[in-house]
Amino acid sequence: MNRRNILIVIFILCSFNHIFSETQKSAKLVAYDSITVPGGKVILTAKIEKKILFLRPDIKGEKLLFYIDNKNIGESVTDNDGFAYLPCRISKSGMFELTVKVSTASEFFSDTVSAKIFCSDKNKPTVIVDIDRTIADISWLGYMLKSNNKVKPLKNAPDVLQKLSKSYNLIFVTKREDVFIQKTEDWLKMYKFPDAPVFFWDW
């Protein structure tokens, strides 16, 4: 092997090492929607995982910071499964924004993420709505393979749910894995479904 080829091999190995080391420090942070009633305790939940190619190993011992409507309410350290939990109470009904950040002292980095905290009106009945094959004209498996603009809602689904939301609390549930949280939220907004919490499956 001549000198030029040796230098090319060294450059490639160094590049892979750089990419891998950066990937090791990159993390995927997820915040989950939650529901409660005025004065009731709610457990706020977030999870952090490493991003190594297609793998998502859980990260334990990481400090996560929790905010409600941009006000810091506390912090929590992740357990062996990468989950951090923070109990709190919401005094009044309404929809509140939860945001979660990774501590600046962490060796990992991730974008700030957000979720909904829905404090429901006790006097309003609740309707639980599945997504796939109920309001979306697709299976949960098919959704994984298509972009949002190729997934259509079932006929009149957005209008019907908008009308229902005036008299009922709405909660969405889905078999979709939580890696599709943002994609699903974007799809619901795209077709003007009511703003409501969504509960996912975590593989």
Side-chain angles (χ1 to χ4, degrees), residues 27-42:
K28 172 71 174 178
L29 182 61
V30 177
Y32 296 90
D33 289 353
S34 55
I35 55 176
T36 187
V37 293
K41 185 169 75 170
V42 60

Side-chain angles (χ1 to χ4, degrees), residues 40 81 122 158 185:
D81 296 316
K122 293 181 180 180
E185 294 280 1

Side-chain angles (χ1 to χ4, degrees), residues 105-159:
S106 173
E107 65 178 304
F108 296 96
F109 62 89
S110 173
D111 293 335
T112 298
V113 294
S114 62
K116 302 181 189 73
I117 305 171
F118 179 51
C119 189
S120 67
D121 183 345
K122 293 181 180 180
N123 298 317
K124 233 178 179 182
T126 297
V127 174
I128 298 175
V129 183
D130 196 1
I131 294 180
D132 299 311
R133 298 300 190 199
T134 304
I135 62 171
D137 191 15
I138 199 167
S139 68
W140 69 270
L141 187 58
Y143 184 76
M144 295 169 59
L145 307 174
K146 291 191 175 184
S147 60
N148 274 345
N149 59 8
K150 293 184 178 179
V151 179
K152 303 301 181 184
L154 288 170
K155 186 178 180 180
N156 298 325
D159 291 339

